[in-house]
């Protein structure tokens, strides 16, 4: 049976991320906000652990900066897919595509 809440030590073991790094990530990423119990200890849920594993992948494995990892998390929807691209960005991408096609033709 899965637990509902995990301590910072348990999460540190599960994710192989040091506790001080977890506390730092908590201060940097809004998506990571474990609740604290009456004693002031952090209590992590499964969703928090999933977020930590995603952060670990982005920061430690893919070498994203914290700013870049924050942007990736911000762009992801709740279902794990990217959010819809804003219209202004679509326009910029379309212009870029046309420019690159023209450049390729010249080569």
């Amino acid at each position: 049976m899965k637990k509902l809440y995990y301590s910072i030590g348990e999460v540190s073991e599960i994710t192989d991320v040091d506790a001080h790094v977890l506390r730092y990530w908590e201060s940097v990423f809004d998506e990571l906000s474990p609740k604290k119990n009456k004693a002031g200890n952090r209590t992590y849920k499964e969703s928090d652990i999933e977020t930590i594993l995603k952060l670990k992948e982005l920061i430690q494995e893919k070498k994203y900066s914290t700013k870049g990892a924050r942007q990736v998390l911000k762009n992801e929807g709740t279902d794990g897919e990217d959010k819809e691209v804003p219209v202004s960005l679509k326009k910029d991408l379309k212009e870029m595509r046309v420019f690159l096609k023209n450049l390729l033709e010249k080569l």
Side-chain angles (χ1 to χ4, degrees), residues 29-45:
F29 299 100
D30 295 333
E31 296 83 3
L32 184 60
S33 56
K35 303 291 183 222
K36 293 186 179 180
N37 62 17
K38 291 180 181 179
N41 299 324
R42 290 167 175 82
T43 55
Y44 293 85
K45 298 184 291 186

Side-chain angles (χ1 to χ4, degrees), residues 2 5 10 18-19 31 52 54 69 73 86-87 97 103 106:
K2 288 186 178 181
Y5 298 102
E10 292 170 324
D18 292 337
E31 296 83 3
I52 291 166
K54 180 69 175 179
L73 288 179
V87 174
R97 190 176 298 122
L103 183 62
K106 290 179 182 179

Side-chain angles (χ1 to χ4, degrees), residues 53-95:
L53 291 173
K54 180 69 175 179
L55 286 170
K56 179 182 177 184
E57 176 189 353
L58 292 172
I59 294 172
Q60 293 180 354
E61 296 171 15
K62 292 187 177 179
K63 305 298 181 192
Y64 276 76
S65 65
T66 53
K67 184 177 179 180
R70 189 178 318 123
Q71 187 66 36
V72 169
L73 288 179
K74 181 180 171 187
N75 289 336
E76 285 189 351
T78 55
D79 57 0
E81 298 201 9
D82 288 342
K83 291 181 179 176
E84 188 173 326
V85 178
V87 174
S88 61
L89 183 57
K90 284 183 182 181
K91 182 180 177 185
D92 292 342
L93 291 173
K94 191 173 188 177
E95 290 174 2

Side-chain angles (χ1 to χ4, degrees), residues 10-19 22 52-53 56 60:
E10 292 170 324
V11 173
S12 180
E13 280 185 32
I14 292 168
T15 61
D16 196 30
V17 176
D18 292 337
L22 294 174
I52 291 166
L53 291 173
K56 179 182 177 184
Q60 293 180 354

